[in-house]
Amino acid sequence: MNKTYCLAGVFTLLLATSASAQEFGWSAELGANLAHSGGTSEPTANGAVELTFGGAFVGAEFETLYQDPADNAEFTLSLGYGAELAPDVALTGTYARTYLDNSGFDSHEVGLALDFPIMDRTSGTFEVVRDLTARATDVSFGAEFEANDRFTYSALVGHDGADVYGEAGVSYAFNEMTSAGLLIEVAEGAKPTINLGLTIALGS
């Protein structure tokens, strides 16, 4: 884990040395969630912070785990770069390392995501993620529809190298900072999971 902290520190230092040309940006969010599956409900929480400079970014996030017998939470450190290829079309590359609170290092991965418009108020994301630890590739396609300033609908389907999975959700924005959402997750061989969440976002 020390190597990852050093890598993130060097990355941040390089951004700082170029700050005269552009300004840093940052964002953060906190979330509370109630997950329900197979007659069992459990609260979870998550949080994330991201520092950006131009197209480069470095971030950290945590998430408490649902029905995990060994660990209570996971922590992820990531860094990457995103480039705009055309209006509303962007390509983002990411490297991330994940750690568990009790088990320690869990995995690291690289990912490439293409965001693009589909039609008015609808956008899509095609993403390929390679798990360098398990040597498995996850491919997914997601779409998001902004019905109005308040409601956003989303759907995703993917294959993690072994099974097909999917998600469907809706979110409601109370204001620019606070939103609530309902997300249903399904996967082969597992019972569906229903998530009710509240998110508070901050940023510069």
Side-chain angles (χ1 to χ4, degrees), residues 22-25 52-57 81-82:
Q22 301 184 51
E23 292 185 357
F24 283 110
T52 61
F53 180 75
F57 61 88
Y81 187 85

Side-chain angles (χ1 to χ4, degrees), residues 55-175:
F57 61 88
V58 58
E61 61 182 293
F62 79 90
E63 179 179 7
T64 59
L65 300 176
Y66 174 62
Q67 294 185 343
D68 190 300
D71 296 276
N72 299 313
E74 68 176 19
F75 305 86
T76 301
L77 301 174
S78 60
L79 54 86
Y81 187 85
E84 186 173 337
L85 306 180
D88 299 321
V89 178
L91 186 65
T92 304
T94 306
Y95 172 76
R97 293 178 71 91
T98 300
Y99 303 86
L100 300 171
D101 61 337
N102 294 324
S103 304
F105 173 74
D106 182 51
S107 64
H108 64 142
E109 63 186 32
V110 292
L112 199 61
L114 178 66
D115 297 298
F116 53 92
I118 297 176
M119 60 179 67
D120 186 38
R121 290 182 172 270
T122 305
S123 60
T125 300
F126 178 73
E127 185 173 23
V128 179
V129 177
R130 178 65 176 177
D131 188 325
L132 302 176
T133 304
R135 297 185 179 181
T137 302
D138 187 305
V139 180
S140 65
F141 170 74
E144 189 174 271
F145 171 65
E146 295 182 4
N148 50 48
D149 293 338
R150 299 291 186 182
F151 283 98
T152 300
Y153 300 91
S154 63
L156 181 145
V157 62
H159 192 283
D160 62 7
D163 299 308
V164 176
Y165 64 90
E167 299 176 358
V170 57
S171 65
Y172 177 82
F174 297 101
N175 50 49

Side-chain angles (χ1 to χ4, degrees), residues 26-30 176-177 200-204:
W26 67 275
S27 62
E29 70 174 34
L30 293 173
E176 293 183 355
M177 294 177 55
I200 299 175
L202 302 171
S204 59

